[in-house]
Amino acid sequence: MFYLPAAPQINEDASPTPVYSFVGNRKPVVITCVFYGYPVPIVIMRDDNGTEIARGNSTVSYTVSDTTEDDFGMFNCTAESPDGKAKYLVELRKAGTHGKELGNSFQ
């Protein structure tokens, strides 16, 4: 089988944004970035401060286990391969009153 080189591209369906939570939420909230390309890109996720918090091949995920005020913000995902580079932002946003926002409910 023959594969043509392709620069990294985001899979938006598998990388939802925004992701909702609320202060005190004890259910894990997962922030995910999925890229495709050939060769498979290396993906790095950084928080608002630029600190690397996850690294992987094609996919990265970061789990917030007990949401605090400091967890909200933007997460920057960068995918890189010999054929190019791509970036994608995922926002962890505060849910509305009682953890409900846009039809999503948190139990």
Side-chain angles (χ1 to χ4, degrees), residues 23-105:
V23 173
N25 181 15
R26 292 181 179 229
K27 284 182 78 175
V29 177
V30 180
I31 298 159
T32 303
C33 292
V34 179
F35 289 84
Y36 56 90
Y38 185 80
V40 173
I42 301 296
V43 183
I44 298 172
M45 182 185 289
R46 297 182 189 280
D47 64 14
D48 268 344
N49 298 319
T51 302
E52 182 179 317
I53 56 174
R55 177 185 288 258
N57 293 326
S58 183
T59 301
V60 291
S61 292
Y62 179 72
T63 302
V64 178
S65 298
D66 189 1
T67 307
T68 68
E69 191 70 42
D70 292 338
D71 293 318
F72 298 105
M74 301 304 289
F75 293 80
N76 185 340
C77 298
T78 303
E80 197 165 349
S81 77
D83 290 295
K85 188 175 186 178
K87 293 186 177 191
Y88 188 72
L89 294 174
V90 177
E91 180 182 10
L92 179 57
R93 186 182 293 176
K94 270 189 197 179
T97 308
H98 304 296
K100 294 184 180 179
E101 184 73 33
L102 299 177
N104 296 328
S105 64

